[in-house]
Amino acid sequence: MSDYVKWFRHSTPYINTHRDRTFVVLLPGEAIAHPNFNNIINDIMLLSTLGVRLVLVHGSRPQIEERLAARGMTSRFHNDLRITDSDTLGCVMDAVGSLRIAIEARLCTLAGQGSRLRVVSGNFVTAKPIGVIDGVDLHHTGEVRRIDRKGISRHLDDASIVLLSSMGYSPTGEVFNLACEDVAISTAAALEADKLILFGPDTGIFDTDGQLLRELKPSRALPLIEALGNSLPGSLLSAACKACNAGLRRSHIISYADDGAMLTELFTRDGGGTLVTQEPFEKIRRAHIDDVAGLLDLLRPLEQAGILVRRSREVLETEIDQFTLIERDGMIIGCAALYPLDEQSAELACVAIHPDYRHGGRGDQLLEHIEAEARRRSLTRLFVLTTRTAHWFRERGFEPSSVERLPQQRAQLYNYQRNSKVFEKNL
């Protein structure tokens, strides 16, 4: 029970962050066929209950294959695209329609358990034919032409879940078989969604050594996409990169086989799958007034242990412009303050790294950033006063100094009862 309470408390910031955000969730046919799908539906319902605006896009590839096999038909592909002739289109429509009804029924069953929920499907996707490629007619295989952004947004504003399939319609009444990844990317881009969540067979994307990649930029993904080929993980990684290049901030690749994978990815600091983003997962930046609460949470344990001098909320609000932060996925995990003392020197103070992140060189990154800022201001000397971390600063070029070496104004404020050691470093 204590682990549950701890997890629930730690998820609170993410609950607040995700409320009223728009997520597009891709459910390939393989995910729907997996025994864990009922748990995924439960998690989707939980997200909706927490105020997340949800668009679900479902695929149907294995279900189409089953129907083709049952009719004694063989799949035909060109450039990894299914050739959807009239007979194949019948199988596609059968598979997609059955899946849509099954998903709606499952969502409505859960909605009946004390909550009110509407699931909306419709002709939100306008499509066009791909046509003839290399002399091969793809018939009813198409691509997205337009997403009805206003129509979808209206239903999301009404707290409905919007369900889209891998089929689109033309203004002339034709039906086209689309790649579910194409629908998901186009929808996320049209809605300017906050996240695209892609369910795949694995925990995430792995490098050539078999290590899970927690974060990946599109510029580094091409060799992995080529290695994965036309497999489902390869298609998902390619889709995540395309979405990112189309302006979407974050795409998450997670496992449809792992119970709770989506909750772990969305409501824990480190997630559980692979994040594809143009933005750095961690960044160093200047603090602003909205960061005071996060700073208090970071500093309080160190103040209680006597490592840092206690700073009240009022003091932090007054001095917030002096602070530089390390932010990880919206959470403050490190900080340092730079207080000018005179025209040539400044005091480095309040250096702190969250206990869970003290072994990744973040303290060094923060110090390097502060020193660069001091040089930019034409400062030539840094002082630091410490009671417990003298060796850390000595190892980074700070030399023992004395109270007498401090500028007079700072020396007058020295706390002899605390008896901090003084170090300085020439820049």
Side-chain angles (χ1 to χ4, degrees):
M1 180 61 71
S2 60
D3 289 340
Y4 165 76
V5 172
K6 182 178 179 181
W7 180 88
F8 199 73
R9 286 171 177 165
H10 286 175
S11 69
T12 301
Y14 299 98
I15 293 174
N16 293 329
T17 298
H18 298 328
R19 185 177 293 115
D20 296 325
R21 303 294 186 180
T22 300
F23 295 176
V24 175
V25 181
L26 175 60
L27 301 165
E30 291 85 349
I32 301 171
H34 195 275
N36 190 50
F37 184 64
N38 282 340
N39 292 325
I40 294 174
I41 290 292
N42 275 281
D43 294 344
I44 287 170
M45 285 293 301
L46 177 58
L47 290 183
S48 179
T49 302
L50 293 175
V52 178
R53 295 155 55 91
L54 290 168
V55 178
L56 309 183
V57 179
H58 75 83
S60 54
R61 290 188 185 107
Q63 291 81 5
I64 292 171
E65 292 297 329
E66 290 175 2
R67 283 158 175 78
L68 288 171
R71 299 184 187 185
M73 299 168 60
T74 303
S75 294
R76 293 186 298 142
F77 293 88
H78 180 70
N79 288 351
D80 298 328
L81 294 171
R82 185 186 298 277
I83 300 173
T84 312
D85 56 23
S86 296
D87 292 334
T88 303
L89 182 62
C91 294
V92 172
M93 294 172 67
D94 183 13
V96 169
S98 298
L99 288 174
R100 178 180 63 80
I101 293 170
I103 294 170
E104 287 182 353
R106 182 58 183 158
L107 287 168
C108 290
T109 299
L110 291 175
Q113 300 174 6
S115 62
R116 183 182 177 187
L117 175 70
R118 285 177 293 272
V119 183
V120 178
S121 301
N123 58 336
F124 298 111
V125 181
T126 301
K128 60 182 180 180
I130 289 180
V132 178
I133 299 178
D134 302 327
V136 178
D137 189 353
L138 297 179
H139 298 281
H140 297 281
T141 299
E143 57 188 352
V144 175
R145 180 177 181 180
R146 184 176 63 85
I147 299 293
D148 184 1
R149 179 182 62 82
K150 290 184 179 179
I152 294 174
S153 297
R154 222 170 11 246
H155 289 294
L156 294 177
D157 292 341
D158 200 29
S160 299
I161 291 179
V162 176
L163 177 62
L164 305 179
S165 72
S166 56
M167 299 196 71
Y169 311 91
S170 74
T172 58
E174 294 177 281
V175 180
F176 292 101
N177 177 30
L178 311 175
C180 58
E181 295 87 353
D182 186 18
V183 177
I185 295 167
S186 299
T187 303
L191 296 175
E192 297 181 350
D194 297 279
K195 290 182 184 294
L196 172 61
I197 299 172
L198 307 141
F199 278 95
D202 305 316
T203 304
I205 301 299
F206 293 82
D207 64 17
T208 53
D209 295 324
Q211 297 296 314
L212 176 65
L213 296 168
R214 295 287 187 183
E215 181 184 357
L216 186 62
K217 291 186 177 182
S219 58
R220 298 183 56 192
L222 185 58
L224 293 169
I225 293 173
E226 292 176 347
L228 291 168
N230 61 355
S231 65
L232 181 55
S235 297
L236 296 179
L237 180 55
S238 178
C241 293
K242 289 177 182 177
C244 196
N245 291 330
L248 196 69
R249 292 177 59 193
R250 294 184 173 189
S251 296
H252 303 259
I253 300 175
I254 57 177
S255 171
Y256 58 68
D258 295 341
D259 187 12
M262 185 160 59
L263 301 183
T264 301
E265 182 70 7
L266 295 175
F267 295 101
T268 62
R269 283 196 294 268
D270 297 321
T274 296
L275 169 67
V276 180
T277 177
Q278 295 281 21
E279 296 182 337
F281 195 37
E282 288 185 11
K283 57 184 176 183
I284 298 178
R285 62 171 177 83
R286 292 288 297 274
H288 48 72
I289 194 66
D290 293 337
D291 296 316
V292 170
L295 274 173
L296 286 170
D297 290 340
L298 175 66
L299 299 177
R300 189 174 294 113
L302 296 172
E303 293 172 351
Q304 292 172 346
I307 297 174
L308 295 177
V309 176
R310 183 182 179 277
R311 288 171 171 80
S312 66
R313 176 182 289 271
E314 291 75 18
V315 169
L316 280 176
E317 289 176 351
T318 302
E319 300 178 349
I320 193 67
D321 290 338
Q322 315 299 337
F323 278 81
T324 297
L325 310 177
I326 301 179
E327 182 184 58
R328 180 182 177 88
D329 197 24
M331 176 185 176
I332 297 172
I333 63 167
C335 72
L338 183 66
Y339 296 97
L341 299 176
D342 56 30
E343 293 182 356
Q344 294 184 322
S345 62
E347 179 183 356
L348 172 64
C350 208
V351 180
I353 303 293
H354 190 283
D356 293 344
Y357 299 96
R358 288 179 182 166
H359 302 291
R362 294 175 178 86
D364 291 300
Q365 295 172 22
L366 199 54
L367 177 59
E368 182 179 342
H369 187 91
I370 290 289
E371 290 181 356
E373 173 63 19
R375 293 188 185 96
R376 189 187 67 79
R377 299 185 191 182
S378 300
L379 300 174
T380 60
R381 185 168 52 181
L382 276 184
F383 287 97
V384 65
L385 281 69
T386 180
T387 58
R388 303 276 291 275
T389 55
H391 279 263
W392 191 87
F393 288 105
R394 287 293 305 274
E395 292 167 3
R396 284 151 183 84
F398 283 82
E399 298 293 337
S401 186
S402 64
V403 177
E404 292 73 24
R405 291 275 298 171
L406 291 170
Q408 183 177 4
Q409 186 178 3
R410 180 62 182 91
Q412 291 174 348
L413 297 175
Y414 181 81
N415 186 341
Y416 285 92
Q417 185 175 1
R418 184 171 172 80
N419 196 28
S420 299
K421 294 184 178 180
V422 180
F423 295 87
E424 64 178 282
K425 181 178 182 179
N426 292 323
L427 300 175

